[in-house]
Amino acid sequence: MPHTAIPLAATTAGGYLLVAAVMLPVAGILLSLLCGGRHVERTAVLILPLNLAIALFVLISVWQGGEPLIYVVGGWSPPLGVALRGDGLSAVMMVTTAAVACAIAVYALADFLTPAGTIEARSSYVFWPLLLGVCGAMNLVCVGGDLFTLYVAMELLTFAAVPMVSLDGRAETLRAALRYLLFAIVGSILYLLGIALLYGSYGTLDIARLSRLVQPDFATISTLALMTTGLLAKTALFPLHLWLPPAHAGAPAAASAALSALVVKGSFFLVIRLWFDVMPALPGHDGALLLGVLGAAAIIFGGIMALRQPRLKLLVAYSTVAQIGYLFLIFPLAWNAQSGRLESGAALAGGMLQVMSHATAKAGMFMAAGTIYAAFGHDRVDQLAGAGRALPISVLAFVCGGCTLIGLPFGGAFLAKSLLLESPAASEQWWWDWIMFAGSMLTSAYVIVVMTRTLTPARMSQAACASVPRYQQMAALVLALSSLLLSLAAFGVLGIIQIGRPDEAYVVAVTPLSSDAFSIAAILKAFNPVVLGTALAIGHMWRERALAIAADDMASSGKPSHARLALLDRADHALRQWPVGSTSLLFLAIAFGAAMFAAH
Amino acid sequence: VSGEILFGFAGAAVIGIGLFGLVTNADALRKLLAFNLIGSGVFLIFGVVARRAAAAGLGGDPVPQAMVITAIVVAFAATAMAIALLNRLFDRTGGATLTDGTEDGGDA
């Protein structure tokens, strides 16, 4: 029996912190249900900082102890029982989640607070437990030590996220929530099928045990293909993004921020767990390459679509589609051809940094877009003139978040990109560099378009806009600024993600960043895409203007002005049809299976 | 053919029928039913796994059975939430398809 060779897991000193991290938000939800009324927001405001404190404690104990925290639930060690495991990756992810959730709560105080003397509204009552639910589920996603616990955590995350989409109860958001829910549960049923097959093959689902047991046989490969595809559906990686734009753009701003910044990262985190921790040798070069190619397609396609969106929140949502793509570039870049497995080195560190930087930047951008919507009553990109004067802090937050996404110094993405390109595989696979360059170019184009529109002085005829509390704008700005300074903060602590990797022989040290990462040349190079992006933005705005004039002419001459759907819009529309989306889901599962099978 | 293999094939067939229904049906309620069908197939496979992985002398491995109970609860919760959303959508629009022709270019 191979089981006897694996030592049983035992609870470590700080293990109870993991339990507290999961239980605290759950306790908060129960307390909200019990107390009701205005106690709900008080509970959330109390619990969320505590949650952050616990996450920081976990980070500090992992950092100082140099090994993962483990809690064996009920004293029953795996394979019979279940263990919670908090390693470096979990700690980083938990702190990011908790910090962003706190900022979202500050922002949401304005939208979902029930003032004294008024009757509570459904949305303001429900939002707070849902936010706590997202936090608790994310914590469980981070610390779950076996694949079934992770399945439950992922489902909790979905169940907390879906109602957030339809908080305002409009028909189109209900529809968006339903599409999201249906597509997500299909993804999770594929994951569950994978679990059944995996348990049938190995008799355990504990990650640490499985990582030593997995064999590249037919059942295991189909398992990995099924589970990966299921997770991709939940992460909305292109071409499975059919649910994301309507859901993220339709939700109230605070909810959009939580969905875009946190929820999609949950299922992405499981992909990392599965590929890096459970089966690092299984995917083969082709499997990793397939993920990278999908990521590259997401970057380009999402970027172009973001530029074409007429509404600010849709623009930000499509920008999420593109940014998710970056996360999947780590798989081909972490693949080591010599050892024939994914290695936890610079690429993984860069990927996690990208997760953190996108979480903070995107939450800030959605909040900024939300304040603009609240003030103007709409968020049409071509009618945002005067926003810069009315809401200077929000516009600054949006632009700062945008600069981070472009990869300008010293945002998190700036360092993340150089880390990704520092990995050994990057020298042979030069094309990823080009993809990232093109992605940055598109990102800078849409950020510049928004910046230009908002900084245009308002015309006299424009109606005065509603006032927005200053602390809402400040919450957005704080998030955006922290993302813009992330690489300076992350400089010293990047090594932490390598604590507790299951197979230490294959952990490659993240070099303490060769000094060229912050050299003048590197900084100047980061601005290159902006130059081309500016040209692109000017071209785009000029074209929009020409189209608008043509439409006016047609309207005045009495002819019906038909909406011009360009090829890309049609492609996106077609891809987001349900039959196409679900067929590509099945097709991807087969493609992953074939790619991995060919490798063995 | 042993009982387990027969059950395994039955599970696979049910999953296949469910997937077909999921892709082809436009109606959200039918999609939900198809999802439940896939779920049943997966649960059946869990049952097979419990038989196959059973230690000598036991009727079945309790761990997959425990997992199936949890998974059934999860699937039930998902179905309940989808039904609630569908109901609300029906109240608002008088229809319950996911296709809509309004702005956003009809994200069907």
PDB file of all heavy atoms in Angstrom, chain A residues 287-313:
ATOM      1  N   GLY A 287      -0.963  20.366 -22.826  1.00  0.00           N
ATOM      2  CA  GLY A 287      -2.050  20.806 -21.968  1.00  0.00           C
ATOM      3  C   GLY A 287      -1.807  22.207 -21.446  1.00  0.00           C
ATOM      4  O   GLY A 287      -2.690  23.075 -21.482  1.00  0.00           O
ATOM      5  N   ALA A 288      -0.580  22.453 -20.966  1.00  0.00           N
ATOM      6  CA  ALA A 288      -0.238  23.779 -20.452  1.00  0.00           C
ATOM      7  C   ALA A 288      -0.320  24.817 -21.562  1.00  0.00           C
ATOM      8  O   ALA A 288      -0.793  25.935 -21.353  1.00  0.00           O
ATOM      9  CB  ALA A 288       1.156  23.756 -19.839  1.00  0.00           C
ATOM     10  N   LEU A 289       0.126  24.393 -22.766  1.00  0.00           N
ATOM     11  CA  LEU A 289       0.103  25.326 -23.891  1.00  0.00           C
ATOM     12  C   LEU A 289      -1.335  25.696 -24.254  1.00  0.00           C
ATOM     13  O   LEU A 289      -1.633  26.859 -24.543  1.00  0.00           O
ATOM     14  CB  LEU A 289       0.803  24.684 -25.089  1.00  0.00           C
ATOM     15  CG  LEU A 289       1.024  25.608 -26.279  1.00  0.00           C
ATOM     16  CD1 LEU A 289       2.012  26.695 -25.901  1.00  0.00           C
ATOM     17  CD2 LEU A 289       1.533  24.832 -27.475  1.00  0.00           C
ATOM     18  N   LEU A 290      -2.241  24.712 -24.194  1.00  0.00           N
ATOM     19  CA  LEU A 290      -3.647  24.975 -24.535  1.00  0.00           C
ATOM     20  C   LEU A 290      -4.233  26.029 -23.594  1.00  0.00           C
ATOM     21  O   LEU A 290      -4.906  26.962 -24.038  1.00  0.00           O
ATOM     22  CB  LEU A 290      -4.443  23.673 -24.463  1.00  0.00           C
ATOM     23  CG  LEU A 290      -5.911  23.742 -24.857  1.00  0.00           C
ATOM     24  CD1 LEU A 290      -6.064  24.368 -26.226  1.00  0.00           C
ATOM     25  CD2 LEU A 290      -6.525  22.360 -24.849  1.00  0.00           C
ATOM     26  N   LEU A 291      -3.923  25.892 -22.294  1.00  0.00           N
ATOM     27  CA  LEU A 291      -4.406  26.907 -21.352  1.00  0.00           C
ATOM     28  C   LEU A 291      -3.838  28.275 -21.708  1.00  0.00           C
ATOM     29  O   LEU A 291      -4.545  29.285 -21.674  1.00  0.00           O
ATOM     30  CB  LEU A 291      -3.987  26.549 -19.928  1.00  0.00           C
ATOM     31  CG  LEU A 291      -4.954  25.764 -19.066  1.00  0.00           C
ATOM     32  CD1 LEU A 291      -4.440  25.720 -17.649  1.00  0.00           C
ATOM     33  CD2 LEU A 291      -6.329  26.391 -19.081  1.00  0.00           C
ATOM     34  N   GLY A 292      -2.539  28.289 -22.047  1.00  0.00           N
ATOM     35  CA  GLY A 292      -1.898  29.555 -22.393  1.00  0.00           C
ATOM     36  C   GLY A 292      -2.514  30.173 -23.637  1.00  0.00           C
ATOM     37  O   GLY A 292      -2.717  31.387 -23.706  1.00  0.00           O
ATOM     38  N   VAL A 293      -2.838  29.329 -24.622  1.00  0.00           N
ATOM     39  CA  VAL A 293      -3.421  29.852 -25.864  1.00  0.00           C
ATOM     40  C   VAL A 293      -4.798  30.449 -25.592  1.00  0.00           C
ATOM     41  O   VAL A 293      -5.127  31.540 -26.088  1.00  0.00           O
ATOM     42  CB  VAL A 293      -3.508  28.729 -26.921  1.00  0.00           C
ATOM     43  CG1 VAL A 293      -4.364  29.164 -28.088  1.00  0.00           C
ATOM     44  CG2 VAL A 293      -2.124  28.365 -27.399  1.00  0.00           C
ATOM     45  N   LEU A 294      -5.592  29.763 -24.757  1.00  0.00           N
ATOM     46  CA  LEU A 294      -6.902  30.317 -24.392  1.00  0.00           C
ATOM     47  C   LEU A 294      -6.718  31.656 -23.684  1.00  0.00           C
ATOM     48  O   LEU A 294      -7.456  32.616 -23.936  1.00  0.00           O
ATOM     49  CB  LEU A 294      -7.658  29.347 -23.483  1.00  0.00           C
ATOM     50  CG  LEU A 294      -8.105  28.035 -24.114  1.00  0.00           C
ATOM     51  CD1 LEU A 294      -8.808  27.181 -23.075  1.00  0.00           C
ATOM     52  CD2 LEU A 294      -9.021  28.287 -25.286  1.00  0.00           C
ATOM     53  N   GLY A 295      -5.710  31.700 -22.798  1.00  0.00           N
ATOM     54  CA  GLY A 295      -5.434  32.951 -22.095  1.00  0.00           C
ATOM     55  C   GLY A 295      -5.072  34.056 -23.064  1.00  0.00           C
ATOM     56  O   GLY A 295      -5.564  35.183 -22.956  1.00  0.00           O
ATOM     57  N   ALA A 296      -4.214  33.727 -24.046  1.00  0.00           N
ATOM     58  CA  ALA A 296      -3.796  34.729 -25.022  1.00  0.00           C
ATOM     59  C   ALA A 296      -4.998  35.216 -25.819  1.00  0.00           C
ATOM     60  O   ALA A 296      -5.165  36.423 -26.051  1.00  0.00           O
ATOM     61  CB  ALA A 296      -2.743  34.135 -25.949  1.00  0.00           C
ATOM     62  N   ALA A 297      -5.878  34.276 -26.226  1.00  0.00           N
ATOM     63  CA  ALA A 297      -7.078  34.675 -26.969  1.00  0.00           C
ATOM     64  C   ALA A 297      -7.938  35.588 -26.118  1.00  0.00           C
ATOM     65  O   ALA A 297      -8.494  36.577 -26.611  1.00  0.00           O
ATOM     66  CB  ALA A 297      -7.868  33.436 -27.382  1.00  0.00           C
ATOM     67  N   ALA A 298      -8.043  35.271 -24.817  1.00  0.00           N
ATOM     68  CA  ALA A 298      -8.840  36.111 -23.925  1.00  0.00           C
ATOM     69  C   ALA A 298      -8.264  37.519 -23.854  1.00  0.00           C
ATOM     70  O   ALA A 298      -9.001  38.503 -23.880  1.00  0.00           O
ATOM     71  CB  ALA A 298      -8.894  35.490 -22.535  1.00  0.00           C
ATOM     72  N   ILE A 299      -6.927  37.617 -23.775  1.00  0.00           N
ATOM     73  CA  ILE A 299      -6.292  38.932 -23.655  1.00  0.00           C
ATOM     74  C   ILE A 299      -6.627  39.792 -24.870  1.00  0.00           C
ATOM     75  O   ILE A 299      -7.065  40.936 -24.747  1.00  0.00           O
ATOM     76  CB  ILE A 299      -4.762  38.780 -23.527  1.00  0.00           C
ATOM     77  CG1 ILE A 299      -4.407  38.113 -22.206  1.00  0.00           C
ATOM     78  CG2 ILE A 299      -4.079  40.123 -23.647  1.00  0.00           C
ATOM     79  CD1 ILE A 299      -2.947  37.782 -22.084  1.00  0.00           C
ATOM     80  N   ILE A 300      -6.445  39.223 -26.062  1.00  0.00           N
ATOM     81  CA  ILE A 300      -6.650  40.009 -27.280  1.00  0.00           C
ATOM     82  C   ILE A 300      -8.140  40.298 -27.481  1.00  0.00           C
ATOM     83  O   ILE A 300      -8.554  41.448 -27.660  1.00  0.00           O
ATOM     84  CB  ILE A 300      -6.100  39.237 -28.508  1.00  0.00           C
ATOM     85  CG1 ILE A 300      -4.625  38.897 -28.296  1.00  0.00           C
ATOM     86  CG2 ILE A 300      -6.299  40.045 -29.774  1.00  0.00           C
ATOM     87  CD1 ILE A 300      -3.727  40.073 -28.166  1.00  0.00           C
ATOM     88  N   PHE A 301      -8.942  39.241 -27.412  1.00  0.00           N
ATOM     89  CA  PHE A 301     -10.362  39.396 -27.689  1.00  0.00           C
ATOM     90  C   PHE A 301     -11.031  40.302 -26.649  1.00  0.00           C
ATOM     91  O   PHE A 301     -11.766  41.234 -26.988  1.00  0.00           O
ATOM     92  CB  PHE A 301     -11.013  38.015 -27.699  1.00  0.00           C
ATOM     93  CG  PHE A 301     -12.401  38.013 -28.206  1.00  0.00           C
ATOM     94  CD1 PHE A 301     -12.659  37.970 -29.558  1.00  0.00           C
ATOM     95  CD2 PHE A 301     -13.467  38.068 -27.324  1.00  0.00           C
ATOM     96  CE1 PHE A 301     -13.947  37.977 -30.025  1.00  0.00           C
ATOM     97  CE2 PHE A 301     -14.757  38.071 -27.788  1.00  0.00           C
ATOM     98  CZ  PHE A 301     -15.006  38.028 -29.137  1.00  0.00           C
ATOM     99  N   GLY A 302     -10.742  40.016 -25.371  1.00  0.00           N
ATOM    100  CA  GLY A 302     -11.334  40.832 -24.313  1.00  0.00           C
ATOM    101  C   GLY A 302     -10.918  42.287 -24.433  1.00  0.00           C
ATOM    102  O   GLY A 302     -11.728  43.191 -24.224  1.00  0.00           O
ATOM    103  N   GLY A 303      -9.663  42.519 -24.786  1.00  0.00           N
ATOM    104  CA  GLY A 303      -9.173  43.888 -24.917  1.00  0.00           C
ATOM    105  C   GLY A 303      -9.901  44.634 -26.017  1.00  0.00           C
ATOM    106  O   GLY A 303     -10.349  45.771 -25.841  1.00  0.00           O
ATOM    107  N   ILE A 304     -10.030  43.971 -27.184  1.00  0.00           N
ATOM    108  CA  ILE A 304     -10.709  44.638 -28.297  1.00  0.00           C
ATOM    109  C   ILE A 304     -12.169  44.894 -27.951  1.00  0.00           C
ATOM    110  O   ILE A 304     -12.706  45.983 -28.194  1.00  0.00           O
ATOM    111  CB  ILE A 304     -10.596  43.784 -29.577  1.00  0.00           C
ATOM    112  CG1 ILE A 304      -9.132  43.678 -29.991  1.00  0.00           C
ATOM    113  CG2 ILE A 304     -11.410  44.393 -30.704  1.00  0.00           C
ATOM    114  CD1 ILE A 304      -8.895  42.763 -31.160  1.00  0.00           C
ATOM    115  N   MET A 305     -12.814  43.891 -27.352  1.00  0.00           N
ATOM    116  CA  MET A 305     -14.225  44.066 -27.016  1.00  0.00           C
ATOM    117  C   MET A 305     -14.410  45.169 -25.977  1.00  0.00           C
ATOM    118  O   MET A 305     -15.377  45.929 -26.032  1.00  0.00           O
ATOM    119  CB  MET A 305     -14.820  42.762 -26.475  1.00  0.00           C
ATOM    120  CG  MET A 305     -15.036  41.674 -27.506  1.00  0.00           C
ATOM    121  SD  MET A 305     -15.910  42.226 -28.970  1.00  0.00           S
ATOM    122  CE  MET A 305     -17.504  42.608 -28.277  1.00  0.00           C
ATOM    123  N   ALA A 306     -13.482  45.268 -25.017  1.00  0.00           N
ATOM    124  CA  ALA A 306     -13.586  46.327 -24.009  1.00  0.00           C
ATOM    125  C   ALA A 306     -13.548  47.689 -24.686  1.00  0.00           C
ATOM    126  O   ALA A 306     -14.324  48.589 -24.346  1.00  0.00           O
ATOM    127  CB  ALA A 306     -12.457  46.192 -22.999  1.00  0.00           C
ATOM    128  N   LEU A 307     -12.666  47.822 -25.656  1.00  0.00           N
ATOM    129  CA  LEU A 307     -12.532  49.101 -26.353  1.00  0.00           C
ATOM    130  C   LEU A 307     -13.821  49.458 -27.088  1.00  0.00           C
ATOM    131  O   LEU A 307     -14.161  50.626 -27.240  1.00  0.00           O
ATOM    132  CB  LEU A 307     -11.361  48.998 -27.339  1.00  0.00           C
ATOM    133  CG  LEU A 307     -10.937  50.258 -28.068  1.00  0.00           C
ATOM    134  CD1 LEU A 307     -10.564  51.325 -27.068  1.00  0.00           C
ATOM    135  CD2 LEU A 307      -9.771  49.966 -28.974  1.00  0.00           C
ATOM    136  N   ARG A 308     -14.566  48.465 -27.532  1.00  0.00           N
ATOM    137  CA  ARG A 308     -15.749  48.710 -28.341  1.00  0.00           C
ATOM    138  C   ARG A 308     -17.003  48.914 -27.515  1.00  0.00           C
ATOM    139  O   ARG A 308     -18.070  49.175 -28.087  1.00  0.00           O
ATOM    140  CB  ARG A 308     -15.982  47.540 -29.289  1.00  0.00           C
ATOM    141  CG  ARG A 308     -14.832  47.267 -30.211  1.00  0.00           C
ATOM    142  CD  ARG A 308     -15.149  46.110 -31.114  1.00  0.00           C
ATOM    143  NE  ARG A 308     -16.342  46.386 -31.891  1.00  0.00           N
ATOM    144  CZ  ARG A 308     -16.340  47.074 -33.018  1.00  0.00           C
ATOM    145  NH1 ARG A 308     -15.207  47.536 -33.492  1.00  0.00           N
ATOM    146  NH2 ARG A 308     -17.442  47.286 -33.667  1.00  0.00           N
ATOM    147  N   GLN A 309     -16.944  48.766 -26.186  1.00  0.00           N
ATOM    148  CA  GLN A 309     -18.174  48.818 -25.404  1.00  0.00           C
ATOM    149  C   GLN A 309     -18.685  50.245 -25.267  1.00  0.00           C
ATOM    150  O   GLN A 309     -17.915  51.161 -25.005  1.00  0.00           O
ATOM    151  CB  GLN A 309     -17.956  48.234 -24.004  1.00  0.00           C
ATOM    152  CG  GLN A 309     -17.694  46.746 -24.000  1.00  0.00           C
ATOM    153  CD  GLN A 309     -18.715  45.974 -24.804  1.00  0.00           C
ATOM    154  OE1 GLN A 309     -19.920  46.128 -24.621  1.00  0.00           O
ATOM    155  NE2 GLN A 309     -18.239  45.159 -25.735  1.00  0.00           N
ATOM    156  N   PRO A 310     -19.996  50.418 -25.418  1.00  0.00           N
ATOM    157  CA  PRO A 310     -20.542  51.765 -25.274  1.00  0.00           C
ATOM    158  C   PRO A 310     -20.709  52.180 -23.817  1.00  0.00           C
ATOM    159  O   PRO A 310     -20.796  53.362 -23.521  1.00  0.00           O
ATOM    160  CB  PRO A 310     -21.909  51.667 -25.964  1.00  0.00           C
ATOM    161  CG  PRO A 310     -22.290  50.224 -25.838  1.00  0.00           C
ATOM    162  CD  PRO A 310     -21.011  49.446 -25.848  1.00  0.00           C
ATOM    163  N   ARG A 311     -20.774  51.207 -22.887  1.00  0.00           N
ATOM    164  CA  ARG A 311     -21.029  51.563 -21.497  1.00  0.00           C
ATOM    165  C   ARG A 311     -19.820  51.256 -20.633  1.00  0.00           C
ATOM    166  O   ARG A 311     -19.125  50.257 -20.834  1.00  0.00           O
ATOM    167  CB  ARG A 311     -22.253  50.807 -20.981  1.00  0.00           C
ATOM    168  CG  ARG A 311     -23.574  51.359 -21.505  1.00  0.00           C
ATOM    169  CD  ARG A 311     -24.726  50.537 -20.981  1.00  0.00           C
ATOM    170  NE  ARG A 311     -24.511  50.231 -19.575  1.00  0.00           N
ATOM    171  CZ  ARG A 311     -24.881  49.094 -19.003  1.00  0.00           C
ATOM    172  NH1 ARG A 311     -25.466  48.153 -19.722  1.00  0.00           N
ATOM    173  NH2 ARG A 311     -24.655  48.874 -17.743  1.00  0.00           N
ATOM    174  N   LEU A 312     -19.602  52.133 -19.653  1.00  0.00           N
ATOM    175  CA  LEU A 312     -18.388  52.046 -18.848  1.00  0.00           C
ATOM    176  C   LEU A 312     -18.306  50.730 -18.078  1.00  0.00           C
ATOM    177  O   LEU A 312     -17.260  50.081 -18.019  1.00  0.00           O
ATOM    178  CB  LEU A 312     -18.337  53.231 -17.885  1.00  0.00           C
ATOM    179  CG  LEU A 312     -17.046  53.420 -17.106  1.00  0.00           C
ATOM    180  CD1 LEU A 312     -15.884  53.566 -18.070  1.00  0.00           C
ATOM    181  CD2 LEU A 312     -17.127  54.637 -16.216  1.00  0.00           C
ATOM    182  N   LYS A 313     -19.448  50.302 -17.482  1.00  0.00           N
ATOM    183  CA  LYS A 313     -19.380  49.077 -16.676  1.00  0.00           C
ATOM    184  C   LYS A 313     -19.161  47.850 -17.544  1.00  0.00           C
ATOM    185  O   LYS A 313     -18.466  46.912 -17.139  1.00  0.00           O
ATOM    186  CB  LYS A 313     -20.654  48.916 -15.833  1.00  0.00           C
ATOM    187  CG  LYS A 313     -20.676  49.874 -14.655  1.00  0.00           C
ATOM    188  CD  LYS A 313     -21.833  49.596 -13.735  1.00  0.00           C
ATOM    189  CE  LYS A 313     -21.534  48.393 -12.857  1.00  0.00           C
ATOM    190  NZ  LYS A 313     -22.695  48.100 -11.970  1.00  0.00           N
TER     191      LYS A 313
END
